């Protein structure tokens, strides 16, 4: 991943950085007998509770849940339903796979990133809904789910890596917004049946709040990102001043760009005004 330098941009830049917060501090276990081990950054590192129907809370103690890391729910044959709650935005690589009795999965409308090897080898799952908030699906997601009959997308096509939606039943169907039918047919594997859902795409408009940035109004430079959200959209203006530059090191330190499934995820999206 190339570092972002003081590049002067000829037009307004919307910077979308998909970040995974680094766990460089020891995990914080909240409460004696707590089912969850969570870091101060909001990353669930472990779940030791019972099986059955599980609802991941919005917060553990006073720490909002933002991410679920590798292996937290994987290989749990006793979990039959998994409901994930806002403000969760990242399912890291292998957070939920090899769950043979999971028949119900609910993803929150704050989810941005579905890391590699999620929704894979879930042999009892029959359907799922991908919320409009999802922008990135890494490889080997929706993979080897022997009973999966349908997946419904609510929003615009996400960035998707290889080997997703493979080794599924022959009668599997992807239902997508009617106004984006051709875009999804170009995205998904050719062997997947892609049909209109009878609805238009749900539009998503998101900009990271201005207070999440240290900003030099004199030069129009974003000096530092101070927030905790792993999905960042730099606004076109801060404090009424047009954003012209992303300062060197603005996203280094506590938060760093990371790789997902062997590919760099962070990228710059520019648009003319």
């Amino acid at each position: 991943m190339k570092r972002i330098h003081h590049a002067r941009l000829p037009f307004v830049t919307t910077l979308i950085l998909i970040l995974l917060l680094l766990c460089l501090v020891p995990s914080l276990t909240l409460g004696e007998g707590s089912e969850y081990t969570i870091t101060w950054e909001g990353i669930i590192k472990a779940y030791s509770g019972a099986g059955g129907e599980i609802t991941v809370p919005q917060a553990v103690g006073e720490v909002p849940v933002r991410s679920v890391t590798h292996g937290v729910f994987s290989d749990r044959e006793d979990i039959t339903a998994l409901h994930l709650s806002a403000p969760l935005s990242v399912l890291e690589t292998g957070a939920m796979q090899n769950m043979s009795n999971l028949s119900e999965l609910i993803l929150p409308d704050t989810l941005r990133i579905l890391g590699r090897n999620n929704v894979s080898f879930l042999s009892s799952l029959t359907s799922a809904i991908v919320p409009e908030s999802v922008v990135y699906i890494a490889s080997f997601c929706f993979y080897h789910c022997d009973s999966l009959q349908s997946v419904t997308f609510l929003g615009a096509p996400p960035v998707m890596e290889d080997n997703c939606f493979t080794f599924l039943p022959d009668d599997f169907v992807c239902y997508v917004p009617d106004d984006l039918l051709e875009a999804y047919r170009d995205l998904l594997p050719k062997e997947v049946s892609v049909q209109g859902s009878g609805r238009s795409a749900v539009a998503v408009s998101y900009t990271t709040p201005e207070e999440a940035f240290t900003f030099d109004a004199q030069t129009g430079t974003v000096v530092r990102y101070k927030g905790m959200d792993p999905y960042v959209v730099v606004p076109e203006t801060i404090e009424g001043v047009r954003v012209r530059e992303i300062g060197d090191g603005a996203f280094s330190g506590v938060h760093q760009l990371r790789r997902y499934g062997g590919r760099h995820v962070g990228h710059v999206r520019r648009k003319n005004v």
Side-chain angles (χ1 to χ4, degrees):
M1 176 68 70
K2 296 181 179 179
R3 297 182 63 189
I4 301 175
H5 296 283
H6 280 87
R8 291 195 173 274
L9 307 179
F11 36 76
V12 174
T13 297
T14 300
L15 175 66
I16 300 181
L17 295 173
I18 301 177
L19 307 168
L20 277 183
L21 307 179
L22 294 180
C23 303
L24 300 180
V25 296
S27 296
L28 173 63
T29 303
L30 300 177
E32 184 178 354
S34 172
E35 297 177 330
Y36 296 95
T37 300
I38 190 169
T39 72
W40 66 274
E41 298 154 310
I43 303 171
I44 290 180
K45 305 289 288 184
Y47 172 71
S48 59
E53 296 185 5
I54 306 300
T55 298
V56 177
Q58 295 181 346
V60 177
E62 297 182 356
V63 180
V65 174
R66 301 181 185 278
S67 177
V68 177
T69 196
H70 176 76
V72 169
F73 297 109
S74 294
D75 303 313
R76 288 287 302 260
E77 296 185 357
D78 57 338
I79 295 178
T80 57
L82 184 60
H83 299 177
L84 303 170
S85 308
L88 179 76
S89 57
V90 178
L91 284 172
E92 296 194 29
T93 298
M96 53 176 188
Q97 62 178 334
N98 297 323
M99 303 170 69
S100 60
N101 291 308
L102 184 74
S103 60
E104 181 175 310
L105 173 65
I106 296 179
L107 302 174
D109 60 7
T110 53
L111 184 66
R112 304 287 186 182
I113 306 166
L114 197 58
R116 183 173 180 166
N117 292 109
N118 278 302
V119 197
S120 62
F121 295 96
L122 306 184
S123 57
S124 296
L125 186 69
T126 58
S127 65
I129 295 175
V130 178
E132 63 276 13
S133 55
V134 173
V135 297
Y136 188 84
I137 300 178
S139 56
F140 299 103
C141 290
F142 298 97
Y143 177 79
H144 263 295
C145 295
D146 297 340
S147 301
L148 193 62
Q149 296 298 303
S150 68
V151 169
T152 301
F153 284 88
L154 299 184
V159 175
M160 188 180 297
E161 291 192 357
D162 297 335
N163 296 306
C164 294
F165 292 92
T166 54
F167 293 97
L168 301 177
D170 292 340
D171 56 352
F172 170 78
V173 177
C174 259
Y175 294 104
V176 305
D178 292 353
D179 51 338
L180 294 171
L181 184 59
E182 292 307 316
Y184 272 100
R185 284 177 173 166
D186 290 339
L187 174 71
L188 292 161
K190 299 303 181 184
E191 60 270 19
V192 172
S193 174
V194 181
Q195 301 179 22
S197 63
R199 295 175 292 184
S200 296
V202 177
V204 176
S205 178
Y206 174 79
T207 302
T208 302
E210 293 185 10
E211 55 267 25
F213 304 96
T214 299
F215 183 66
D216 184 344
Q218 291 186 340
T219 62
T221 302
V222 172
V223 177
R224 185 168 181 79
Y225 174 60
K226 304 180 294 183
M228 297 294 291
D229 197 328
Y231 178 81
V232 180
V233 180
V234 176
E236 296 179 356
T237 63
I238 298 177
E239 301 172 5
V241 178
R242 181 177 177 179
V243 175
R244 298 180 180 276
E245 298 181 8
I246 305 299
D248 188 22
F251 292 91
S252 64
V254 178
H255 309 291
Q256 294 184 7
L257 294 178
R258 288 186 58 183
R259 294 166 64 93
Y260 242 123
R263 298 186 181 183
H264 291 294
V265 181
H267 63 282
V268 178
R269 179 181 297 171
R270 299 173 177 174
K271 62 180 181 181
N272 293 319
V273 293

